[in-house]
Amino acid sequence: MLADLIAMALLAAAVWFALAVHDGIMLLAEPGRKVEDAGGSLASGLGDAGDAASNVPLVGGILKKPLQSAAEASNGLSDAGQSMQDVVGRVADLTALVLIVTSVAIVLALWLPPRVRWIRRSARIRGLLDAPGGADLLALRALTGPVRDLASVSVPPGGLADAWRRADDRVISDLSQVALRQAGLRP
């Protein structure tokens, strides 16, 4: 369970980091927003100036054409600012995606194989418990395992090994539960 929690924490940290990098890259889009706003304001101002110039008698049409051309050029500047924002947004999205996918792949590569091995081993041990004579084998496994794990089992006269050899059901049950705990399973 600890490995599962660590894997989940690593995945959450990786996603948080990827989103922080995304936000950092998106700060680079700010100049594009300023260029877009400035281009839009300039185009609007030049368009208004052209409309006002068209009201000048005799030369209004002549004055309006260069102002309208400048307004159209300013729209191009605004479009360039928008394009810059789009490119920065795509780079930020792609970078975040690559960071998340890479992090998830690394965590899964490190966490999944041991987890699958544990699941298979646990299934075999559970199957052994249900098989005829399986509790005896689990009891033997507990007897040959670390001595400190046997502290929870009450020792009958003659010792645990003697009680196991005599097929004492209570001792075999207690020892098989110790073997299950050693494997990380609930008895």
Side-chain angles (χ1 to χ4, degrees):
M1 285 179 44
L2 181 62
D4 295 346
L5 292 174
I6 290 171
M8 296 305 288
L10 287 174
L11 290 176
V15 170
W16 175 83
F17 177 73
L19 293 176
V21 168
H22 179 274
D23 292 345
I25 292 172
M26 286 305 293
L27 293 175
L28 298 174
E30 186 60 31
R33 279 190 278 282
K34 289 181 179 179
V35 168
E36 180 184 16
D37 292 345
S41 296
L42 184 60
S44 177
L46 288 172
D48 292 345
D51 291 341
S54 67
N55 294 332
V56 174
L58 298 176
V59 290
I62 295 171
L63 291 175
K64 181 178 181 179
K65 285 184 182 178
L67 291 172
Q68 291 294 359
S69 295
E72 289 174 14
S74 296
N75 282 332
L77 185 64
S78 178
D79 292 344
Q82 180 60 47
S83 294
M84 182 179 172
Q85 291 177 68
D86 292 343
V87 168
V88 169
R90 283 194 293 275
V91 168
D93 292 343
L94 183 61
T95 302
L97 179 67
V98 167
L99 286 172
I100 290 172
V101 168
T102 302
S103 301
V104 168
I106 289 170
V107 169
L108 286 179
L110 295 174
W111 169 78
L112 197 56
R115 184 68 170 147
V116 168
R117 280 193 301 272
W118 182 84
I119 290 170
R120 286 181 178 165
R121 184 172 50 96
S122 298
R124 282 193 305 267
I125 290 172
R126 277 279 179 210
L128 185 61
L129 182 63
D130 297 334
D136 287 335
L137 289 176
L138 286 176
L140 177 61
R141 182 179 181 156
L143 283 172
T144 58
V147 176
R148 70 179 179 279
D149 293 343
L150 299 177
S152 64
V153 180
S154 61
V155 180
L160 290 173
D162 183 54
W164 173 76
R165 279 192 291 278
R166 285 183 287 123
D168 185 328
D169 288 334
R170 185 185 55 78
V171 170
I172 289 174
S173 173
D174 291 346
L175 289 172
S176 62
Q177 289 180 10
V178 168
L180 289 175
R181 280 194 300 273
Q182 287 172 341
L185 299 172
R186 278 187 250 167

mmCIF file of all heavy atoms in Angstrom, residues 52-101:
data_model
loop_
_atom_site.group_PDB
_atom_site.id
_atom_site.type_symbol
_atom_site.label_atom_id
_atom_site.label_comp_id
_atom_site.label_asym_id
_atom_site.label_seq_id
_atom_site.Cartn_x
_atom_site.Cartn_y
_atom_site.Cartn_z
ATOM 1 N N ALA A 52 -12.912 60.198 -40.546
ATOM 2 C CA ALA A 52 -12.976 61.639 -40.304
ATOM 3 C C ALA A 52 -12.345 62.413 -41.455
ATOM 4 O O ALA A 52 -12.841 63.475 -41.854
ATOM 5 C CB ALA A 52 -12.278 61.985 -38.991
ATOM 6 N N ALA A 53 -11.249 61.873 -42.015
ATOM 7 C CA ALA A 53 -10.573 62.569 -43.120
ATOM 8 C C ALA A 53 -11.428 62.577 -44.380
ATOM 9 O O ALA A 53 -11.321 63.479 -45.209
ATOM 10 C CB ALA A 53 -9.228 61.917 -43.391
ATOM 11 N N SER A 54 -12.281 61.572 -44.523
ATOM 12 C CA SER A 54 -13.115 61.523 -45.724
ATOM 13 C C SER A 54 -14.124 62.669 -45.752
ATOM 14 O O SER A 54 -14.666 62.996 -46.809
ATOM 15 C CB SER A 54 -13.830 60.183 -45.825
ATOM 16 O OG SER A 54 -14.778 60.051 -44.780
ATOM 17 N N ASN A 55 -14.357 63.291 -44.614
ATOM 18 C CA ASN A 55 -15.293 64.417 -44.548
ATOM 19 C C ASN A 55 -14.648 65.749 -44.931
ATOM 20 O O ASN A 55 -15.335 66.760 -45.043
ATOM 21 C CB ASN A 55 -15.885 64.529 -43.129
ATOM 22 C CG ASN A 55 -16.744 63.328 -42.793
ATOM 23 O OD1 ASN A 55 -17.313 62.708 -43.679
ATOM 24 N ND2 ASN A 55 -16.825 63.002 -41.511
ATOM 25 N N VAL A 56 -13.328 65.755 -45.123
ATOM 26 C CA VAL A 56 -12.632 66.986 -45.528
ATOM 27 C C VAL A 56 -12.982 67.250 -47.000
ATOM 28 O O VAL A 56 -12.817 66.382 -47.853
ATOM 29 C CB VAL A 56 -11.113 66.853 -45.334
ATOM 30 C CG1 VAL A 56 -10.383 68.072 -45.900
ATOM 31 C CG2 VAL A 56 -10.783 66.633 -43.881
ATOM 32 N N PRO A 57 -13.475 68.471 -47.285
ATOM 33 C CA PRO A 57 -13.854 68.767 -48.670
ATOM 34 C C PRO A 57 -12.652 68.707 -49.617
ATOM 35 O O PRO A 57 -11.539 69.036 -49.261
ATOM 36 C CB PRO A 57 -14.410 70.185 -48.604
ATOM 37 C CG PRO A 57 -14.579 70.511 -47.161
ATOM 38 C CD PRO A 57 -13.763 69.569 -46.394
ATOM 39 N N LEU A 58 -12.853 68.246 -50.773
ATOM 40 C CA LEU A 58 -11.948 68.139 -51.907
ATOM 41 C C LEU A 58 -10.854 67.076 -51.735
ATOM 42 O O LEU A 58 -10.572 66.358 -52.669
ATOM 43 C CB LEU A 58 -11.278 69.497 -52.212
ATOM 44 C CG LEU A 58 -12.226 70.622 -52.604
ATOM 45 C CD1 LEU A 58 -11.443 71.910 -52.777
ATOM 46 C CD2 LEU A 58 -13.002 70.309 -53.867
ATOM 47 N N VAL A 59 -10.202 66.964 -50.608
ATOM 48 C CA VAL A 59 -9.092 66.016 -50.439
ATOM 49 C C VAL A 59 -9.448 64.851 -49.515
ATOM 50 O O VAL A 59 -8.590 64.036 -49.172
ATOM 51 C CB VAL A 59 -7.829 66.740 -49.887
ATOM 52 C CG1 VAL A 59 -7.232 67.661 -50.914
ATOM 53 C CG2 VAL A 59 -8.124 67.421 -48.585
ATOM 54 N N GLY A 60 -10.683 64.739 -49.093
ATOM 55 C CA GLY A 60 -11.096 63.699 -48.145
ATOM 56 C C GLY A 60 -10.830 62.301 -48.655
ATOM 57 O O GLY A 60 -10.350 61.438 -47.923
ATOM 58 N N GLY A 61 -11.145 62.045 -49.929
ATOM 59 C CA GLY A 61 -10.915 60.718 -50.499
ATOM 60 C C GLY A 61 -9.448 60.390 -50.583
ATOM 61 O O GLY A 61 -9.030 59.264 -50.369
ATOM 62 N N ILE A 62 -8.642 61.423 -50.898
ATOM 63 C CA ILE A 62 -7.192 61.208 -51.009
ATOM 64 C C ILE A 62 -6.602 60.925 -49.623
ATOM 65 O O ILE A 62 -5.736 60.062 -49.468
ATOM 66 C CB ILE A 62 -6.524 62.453 -51.656
ATOM 67 C CG1 ILE A 62 -7.015 62.595 -53.094
ATOM 68 C CG2 ILE A 62 -5.028 62.341 -51.617
ATOM 69 C CD1 ILE A 62 -6.597 63.879 -53.758
ATOM 70 N N LEU A 63 -7.058 61.621 -48.606
ATOM 71 C CA LEU A 63 -6.551 61.413 -47.238
ATOM 72 C C LEU A 63 -7.003 60.074 -46.655
ATOM 73 O O LEU A 63 -6.286 59.449 -45.862
ATOM 74 C CB LEU A 63 -7.013 62.554 -46.326
ATOM 75 C CG LEU A 63 -6.409 63.927 -46.567
ATOM 76 C CD1 LEU A 63 -7.075 64.958 -45.669
ATOM 77 C CD2 LEU A 63 -4.918 63.887 -46.306
ATOM 78 N N LYS A 64 -8.185 59.641 -47.050
ATOM 79 C CA LYS A 64 -8.752 58.425 -46.456
ATOM 80 C C LYS A 64 -7.980 57.169 -46.881
ATOM 81 O O LYS A 64 -7.771 56.266 -46.067
ATOM 82 C CB LYS A 64 -10.225 58.297 -46.842
ATOM 83 C CG LYS A 64 -10.887 57.075 -46.255
ATOM 84 C CD LYS A 64 -12.352 57.007 -46.607
ATOM 85 C CE LYS A 64 -12.960 55.770 -45.971
ATOM 86 N NZ LYS A 64 -14.362 55.658 -46.243
ATOM 87 N N LYS A 65 -7.531 57.111 -48.170
ATOM 88 C CA LYS A 65 -6.887 55.898 -48.682
ATOM 89 C C LYS A 65 -5.635 55.515 -47.904
ATOM 90 O O LYS A 65 -5.491 54.352 -47.494
ATOM 91 C CB LYS A 65 -6.569 56.067 -50.173
ATOM 92 C CG LYS A 65 -7.800 55.952 -51.036
ATOM 93 C CD LYS A 65 -7.452 56.032 -52.489
ATOM 94 C CE LYS A 65 -8.729 55.973 -53.313
ATOM 95 N NZ LYS A 65 -8.496 56.079 -54.721
ATOM 96 N N PRO A 66 -4.664 56.405 -47.634
ATOM 97 C CA PRO A 66 -3.485 55.971 -46.888
ATOM 98 C C PRO A 66 -3.818 55.581 -45.440
ATOM 99 O O PRO A 66 -3.194 54.676 -44.862
ATOM 100 C CB PRO A 66 -2.539 57.169 -46.915
ATOM 101 C CG PRO A 66 -3.209 58.252 -47.669
ATOM 102 C CD PRO A 66 -4.539 57.757 -48.135
ATOM 103 N N LEU A 67 -4.799 56.265 -44.861
ATOM 104 C CA LEU A 67 -5.179 55.929 -43.487
ATOM 105 C C LEU A 67 -5.836 54.551 -43.435
ATOM 106 O O LEU A 67 -5.597 53.773 -42.494
ATOM 107 C CB LEU A 67 -6.101 57.005 -42.911
ATOM 108 C CG LEU A 67 -5.426 58.361 -42.650
ATOM 109 C CD1 LEU A 67 -6.478 59.402 -42.261
ATOM 110 C CD2 LEU A 67 -4.376 58.238 -41.568
ATOM 111 N N GLN A 68 -6.653 54.231 -44.432
ATOM 112 C CA GLN A 68 -7.275 52.897 -44.499
ATOM 113 C C GLN A 68 -6.213 51.819 -44.736
ATOM 114 O O GLN A 68 -6.274 50.741 -44.162
ATOM 115 C CB GLN A 68 -8.345 52.841 -45.603
ATOM 116 C CG GLN A 68 -9.573 53.659 -45.323
ATOM 117 C CD GLN A 68 -10.366 53.109 -44.138
ATOM 118 O OE1 GLN A 68 -10.033 52.119 -43.521
ATOM 119 N NE2 GLN A 68 -11.435 53.806 -43.807
ATOM 120 N N SER A 69 -5.212 52.127 -45.572
ATOM 121 C CA SER A 69 -4.121 51.165 -45.815
ATOM 122 C C SER A 69 -3.336 50.923 -44.534
ATOM 123 O O SER A 69 -2.960 49.786 -44.215
ATOM 124 C CB SER A 69 -3.180 51.692 -46.908
ATOM 125 O OG SER A 69 -3.852 51.767 -48.133
ATOM 126 N N ALA A 70 -3.062 51.992 -43.805
ATOM 127 C CA ALA A 70 -2.338 51.853 -42.537
ATOM 128 C C ALA A 70 -3.177 51.064 -41.527
ATOM 129 O O ALA A 70 -2.648 50.264 -40.744
ATOM 130 C CB ALA A 70 -1.980 53.222 -41.983
ATOM 131 N N ALA A 71 -4.498 51.269 -41.541
ATOM 132 C CA ALA A 71 -5.383 50.521 -40.637
ATOM 133 C C ALA A 71 -5.350 49.040 -40.978
ATOM 134 O O ALA A 71 -5.311 48.186 -40.081
ATOM 135 C CB ALA A 71 -6.808 51.069 -40.711
ATOM 136 N N GLU A 72 -5.329 48.703 -42.273
ATOM 137 C CA GLU A 72 -5.259 47.294 -42.677
ATOM 138 C C GLU A 72 -3.918 46.682 -42.276
ATOM 139 O O GLU A 72 -3.847 45.532 -41.842
ATOM 140 C CB GLU A 72 -5.486 47.177 -44.183
ATOM 141 C CG GLU A 72 -6.919 47.450 -44.578
ATOM 142 C CD GLU A 72 -7.113 47.483 -46.090
ATOM 143 O OE1 GLU A 72 -6.214 47.052 -46.828
ATOM 144 O OE2 GLU A 72 -8.191 47.931 -46.522
ATOM 145 N N ALA A 73 -2.833 47.462 -42.394
ATOM 146 C CA ALA A 73 -1.519 46.974 -41.970
ATOM 147 C C ALA A 73 -1.511 46.737 -40.454
ATOM 148 O O ALA A 73 -0.903 45.780 -39.960
ATOM 149 C CB ALA A 73 -0.430 47.956 -42.368
ATOM 150 N N SER A 74 -2.193 47.598 -39.725
ATOM 151 C CA SER A 74 -2.278 47.438 -38.276
ATOM 152 C C SER A 74 -3.064 46.185 -37.915
ATOM 153 O O SER A 74 -2.778 45.521 -36.913
ATOM 154 C CB SER A 74 -2.931 48.663 -37.642
ATOM 155 O OG SER A 74 -2.127 49.795 -37.848
ATOM 156 N N ASN A 75 -4.062 45.842 -38.726
ATOM 157 C CA ASN A 75 -4.789 44.582 -38.508
ATOM 158 C C ASN A 75 -3.847 43.393 -38.679
ATOM 159 O O ASN A 75 -3.956 42.390 -37.971
ATOM 160 C CB ASN A 75 -5.981 44.463 -39.454
ATOM 161 C CG ASN A 75 -7.161 45.290 -39.001
ATOM 162 O OD1 ASN A 75 -7.337 45.532 -37.810
ATOM 163 N ND2 ASN A 75 -7.961 45.753 -39.950
ATOM 164 N N GLY A 76 -2.908 43.490 -39.617
ATOM 165 C CA GLY A 76 -1.897 42.443 -39.800
ATOM 166 C C GLY A 76 -1.023 42.306 -38.569
ATOM 167 O O GLY A 76 -0.654 41.201 -38.161
ATOM 168 N N LEU A 77 -0.689 43.439 -37.958
ATOM 169 C CA LEU A 77 0.081 43.432 -36.721
ATOM 170 C C LEU A 77 -0.713 42.740 -35.608
ATOM 171 O O LEU A 77 -0.177 41.933 -34.845
ATOM 172 C CB LEU A 77 0.433 44.868 -36.325
ATOM 173 C CG LEU A 77 1.330 45.062 -35.129
ATOM 174 C CD1 LEU A 77 2.711 44.478 -35.395
ATOM 175 C CD2 LEU A 77 1.430 46.537 -34.781
ATOM 176 N N SER A 78 -1.983 43.021 -35.541
ATOM 177 C CA SER A 78 -2.863 42.386 -34.559
ATOM 178 C C SER A 78 -2.932 40.877 -34.800
ATOM 179 O O SER A 78 -2.878 40.078 -33.856
ATOM 180 C CB SER A 78 -4.251 43.017 -34.632
ATOM 181 O OG SER A 78 -5.120 42.392 -33.727
ATOM 182 N N ASP A 79 -3.027 40.486 -36.064
ATOM 183 C CA ASP A 79 -3.059 39.053 -36.400
ATOM 184 C C ASP A 79 -1.745 38.364 -36.031
ATOM 185 O O ASP A 79 -1.752 37.211 -35.574
ATOM 186 C CB ASP A 79 -3.343 38.869 -37.893
ATOM 187 C CG ASP A 79 -4.754 39.282 -38.284
ATOM 188 O OD1 ASP A 79 -5.606 39.412 -37.378
ATOM 189 O OD2 ASP A 79 -4.995 39.487 -39.499
ATOM 190 N N ALA A 80 -0.628 39.086 -36.219
ATOM 191 C CA ALA A 80 0.672 38.513 -35.845
ATOM 192 C C ALA A 80 0.739 38.270 -34.336
ATOM 193 O O ALA A 80 1.262 37.249 -33.879
ATOM 194 C CB ALA A 80 1.810 39.430 -36.294
ATOM 195 N N GLY A 81 0.195 39.200 -33.555
ATOM 196 C CA GLY A 81 0.154 39.016 -32.101
ATOM 197 C C GLY A 81 -0.694 37.819 -31.719
ATOM 198 O O GLY A 81 -0.326 37.043 -30.825
ATOM 199 N N GLN A 82 -1.811 37.637 -32.402
ATOM 200 C CA GLN A 82 -2.682 36.482 -32.134
ATOM 201 C C GLN A 82 -1.978 35.183 -32.522
ATOM 202 O O GLN A 82 -2.055 34.191 -31.792
ATOM 203 C CB GLN A 82 -4.004 36.622 -32.898
ATOM 204 C CG GLN A 82 -4.959 35.469 -32.689
ATOM 205 C CD GLN A 82 -5.361 35.280 -31.242
ATOM 206 O OE1 GLN A 82 -5.703 36.238 -30.564
ATOM 207 N NE2 GLN A 82 -5.300 34.062 -30.749
ATOM 208 N N SER A 83 -1.273 35.196 -33.651
ATOM 209 C CA SER A 83 -0.532 33.999 -34.074
ATOM 210 C C SER A 83 0.543 33.627 -33.063
ATOM 211 O O SER A 83 0.758 32.454 -32.766
ATOM 212 C CB SER A 83 0.116 34.226 -35.441
ATOM 213 O OG SER A 83 -0.859 34.374 -36.430
ATOM 214 N N MET A 84 1.213 34.659 -32.530
ATOM 215 C CA MET A 84 2.244 34.399 -31.520
ATOM 216 C C MET A 84 1.624 33.743 -30.287
ATOM 217 O O MET A 84 2.182 32.785 -29.731
ATOM 218 C CB MET A 84 2.932 35.700 -31.136
ATOM 219 C CG MET A 84 4.035 35.536 -30.134
ATOM 220 S SD MET A 84 4.785 37.128 -29.767
ATOM 221 C CE MET A 84 5.842 36.692 -28.429
ATOM 222 N N GLN A 85 0.469 34.216 -29.871
ATOM 223 C CA GLN A 85 -0.214 33.624 -28.721
ATOM 224 C C GLN A 85 -0.600 32.177 -29.001
ATOM 225 O O GLN A 85 -0.481 31.305 -28.123
ATOM 226 C CB GLN A 85 -1.469 34.425 -28.380
ATOM 227 C CG GLN A 85 -1.190 35.797 -27.823
ATOM 228 C CD GLN A 85 -2.486 36.541 -27.597
ATOM 229 O OE1 GLN A 85 -3.255 36.156 -26.731
ATOM 230 N NE2 GLN A 85 -2.711 37.583 -28.383
ATOM 231 N N ASP A 86 -1.066 31.922 -30.226
ATOM 232 C CA ASP A 86 -1.461 30.559 -30.588
ATOM 233 C C ASP A 86 -0.267 29.606 -30.544
ATOM 234 O O ASP A 86 -0.375 28.481 -30.035
ATOM 235 C CB ASP A 86 -2.096 30.539 -31.980
ATOM 236 C CG ASP A 86 -3.439 31.249 -32.024
ATOM 237 O OD1 ASP A 86 -4.044 31.478 -30.950
ATOM 238 O OD2 ASP A 86 -3.888 31.581 -33.148
ATOM 239 N N VAL A 87 0.869 30.060 -31.072
ATOM 240 C CA VAL A 87 2.066 29.217 -31.084
ATOM 241 C C VAL A 87 2.531 28.937 -29.655
ATOM 242 O O VAL A 87 2.848 27.792 -29.301
ATOM 243 C CB VAL A 87 3.194 29.880 -31.918
ATOM 244 C CG1 VAL A 87 4.522 29.172 -31.698
ATOM 245 C CG2 VAL A 87 2.828 29.873 -33.388
ATOM 246 N N VAL A 88 2.569 29.970 -28.824
ATOM 247 C CA VAL A 88 2.992 29.782 -27.429
ATOM 248 C C VAL A 88 2.021 28.830 -26.715
ATOM 249 O O VAL A 88 2.445 27.956 -25.952
ATOM 250 C CB VAL A 88 3.095 31.139 -26.698
ATOM 251 C CG1 VAL A 88 3.269 30.937 -25.206
ATOM 252 C CG2 VAL A 88 4.244 31.956 -27.254
ATOM 253 N N GLY A 89 0.734 28.964 -26.977
ATOM 254 C CA GLY A 89 -0.256 28.070 -26.373
ATOM 255 C C GLY A 89 -0.050 26.626 -26.791
ATOM 256 O O GLY A 89 -0.127 25.707 -25.956
ATOM 257 N N ARG A 90 0.238 26.409 -28.087
ATOM 258 C CA ARG A 90 0.474 25.038 -28.563
ATOM 259 C C ARG A 90 1.749 24.460 -27.946
ATOM 260 O O ARG A 90 1.787 23.291 -27.560
ATOM 261 C CB ARG A 90 0.544 25.005 -30.084
ATOM 262 C CG ARG A 90 -0.822 25.088 -30.746
ATOM 263 C CD ARG A 90 -0.768 24.710 -32.211
ATOM 264 N NE ARG A 90 -0.027 25.650 -33.034
ATOM 265 C CZ ARG A 90 -0.527 26.758 -33.578
ATOM 266 N NH1 ARG A 90 -1.798 27.052 -33.395
ATOM 267 N NH2 ARG A 90 0.220 27.541 -34.312
ATOM 268 N N VAL A 91 2.804 25.274 -27.852
ATOM 269 C CA VAL A 91 4.055 24.808 -27.230
ATOM 270 C C VAL A 91 3.808 24.467 -25.760
ATOM 271 O O VAL A 91 4.290 23.442 -25.257
ATOM 272 C CB VAL A 91 5.171 25.871 -27.379
ATOM 273 C CG1 VAL A 91 6.360 25.537 -26.497
ATOM 274 C CG2 VAL A 91 5.602 25.983 -28.828
ATOM 275 N N ALA A 92 3.063 25.299 -25.059
ATOM 276 C CA ALA A 92 2.777 25.047 -23.640
ATOM 277 C C ALA A 92 1.964 23.761 -23.476
ATOM 278 O O ALA A 92 2.267 22.939 -22.595
ATOM 279 C CB ALA A 92 2.026 26.225 -23.032
ATOM 280 N N ASP A 93 0.954 23.562 -24.308
ATOM 281 C CA ASP A 93 0.130 22.345 -24.230
ATOM 282 C C ASP A 93 0.956 21.099 -24.526
ATOM 283 O O ASP A 93 0.862 20.096 -23.815
ATOM 284 C CB ASP A 93 -1.045 22.432 -25.206
ATOM 285 C CG ASP A 93 -2.067 23.481 -24.808
ATOM 286 O OD1 ASP A 93 -2.053 23.929 -23.640
ATOM 287 O OD2 ASP A 93 -2.890 23.857 -25.680
ATOM 288 N N LEU A 94 1.767 21.173 -25.591
ATOM 289 C CA LEU A 94 2.580 20.018 -25.973
ATOM 290 C C LEU A 94 3.618 19.699 -24.897
ATOM 291 O O LEU A 94 3.827 18.528 -24.557
ATOM 292 C CB LEU A 94 3.269 20.285 -27.313
ATOM 293 C CG LEU A 94 4.095 19.134 -27.885
ATOM 294 C CD1 LEU A 94 3.209 17.916 -28.129
ATOM 295 C CD2 LEU A 94 4.774 19.554 -29.170
ATOM 296 N N THR A 95 4.242 20.722 -24.345
ATOM 297 C CA THR A 95 5.235 20.499 -23.290
ATOM 298 C C THR A 95 4.593 19.850 -22.064
ATOM 299 O O THR A 95 5.139 18.891 -21.503
ATOM 300 C CB THR A 95 5.908 21.834 -22.892
ATOM 301 O OG1 THR A 95 6.511 22.405 -24.044
ATOM 302 C CG2 THR A 95 6.945 21.623 -21.813
ATOM 303 N N ALA A 96 3.434 20.365 -21.658
ATOM 304 C CA ALA A 96 2.743 19.780 -20.504
ATOM 305 C C ALA A 96 2.359 18.329 -20.784
ATOM 306 O O ALA A 96 2.524 17.456 -19.916
ATOM 307 C CB ALA A 96 1.512 20.602 -20.152
ATOM 308 N N LEU A 97 1.876 18.059 -21.985
ATOM 309 C CA LEU A 97 1.485 16.691 -22.345
ATOM 310 C C LEU A 97 2.694 15.757 -22.309
ATOM 311 O O LEU A 97 2.610 14.647 -21.753
ATOM 312 C CB LEU A 97 0.832 16.677 -23.730
ATOM 313 C CG LEU A 97 0.390 15.313 -24.235
ATOM 314 C CD1 LEU A 97 -0.761 14.785 -23.385
ATOM 315 C CD2 LEU A 97 -0.005 15.392 -25.693
ATOM 316 N N VAL A 98 3.811 16.196 -22.880
ATOM 317 C CA VAL A 98 5.014 15.354 -22.891
ATOM 318 C C VAL A 98 5.500 15.099 -21.461
ATOM 319 O O VAL A 98 5.874 13.971 -21.118
ATOM 320 C CB VAL A 98 6.123 16.013 -23.751
ATOM 321 C CG1 VAL A 98 7.466 15.350 -23.529
ATOM 322 C CG2 VAL A 98 5.752 15.954 -25.222
ATOM 323 N N LEU A 99 5.485 16.132 -20.622
ATOM 324 C CA LEU A 99 5.910 15.946 -19.231
ATOM 325 C C LEU A 99 5.006 14.967 -18.498
ATOM 326 O O LEU A 99 5.487 14.099 -17.751
ATOM 327 C CB LEU A 99 5.936 17.287 -18.498
ATOM 328 C CG LEU A 99 7.091 18.225 -18.850
ATOM 329 C CD1 LEU A 99 6.883 19.584 -18.195
ATOM 330 C CD2 LEU A 99 8.408 17.623 -18.431
ATOM 331 N N ILE A 100 3.705 15.082 -18.696
ATOM 332 C CA ILE A 100 2.772 14.178 -18.005
ATOM 333 C C ILE A 100 2.937 12.748 -18.500
ATOM 334 O O ILE A 100 3.044 11.805 -17.710
ATOM 335 C CB ILE A 100 1.318 14.667 -18.171
ATOM 336 C CG1 ILE A 100 1.099 15.949 -17.362
ATOM 337 C CG2 ILE A 100 0.334 13.587 -17.741
ATOM 338 C CD1 ILE A 100 -0.234 16.618 -17.610
ATOM 339 N N VAL A 101 2.979 12.564 -19.820
ATOM 340 C CA VAL A 101 3.091 11.206 -20.379
ATOM 341 C C VAL A 101 4.414 10.567 -19.963
ATOM 342 O O VAL A 101 4.445 9.396 -19.564
ATOM 343 C CB VAL A 101 2.937 11.248 -21.917
ATOM 344 C CG1 VAL A 101 3.344 9.936 -22.551
ATOM 345 C CG2 VAL A 101 1.508 11.592 -22.297
#
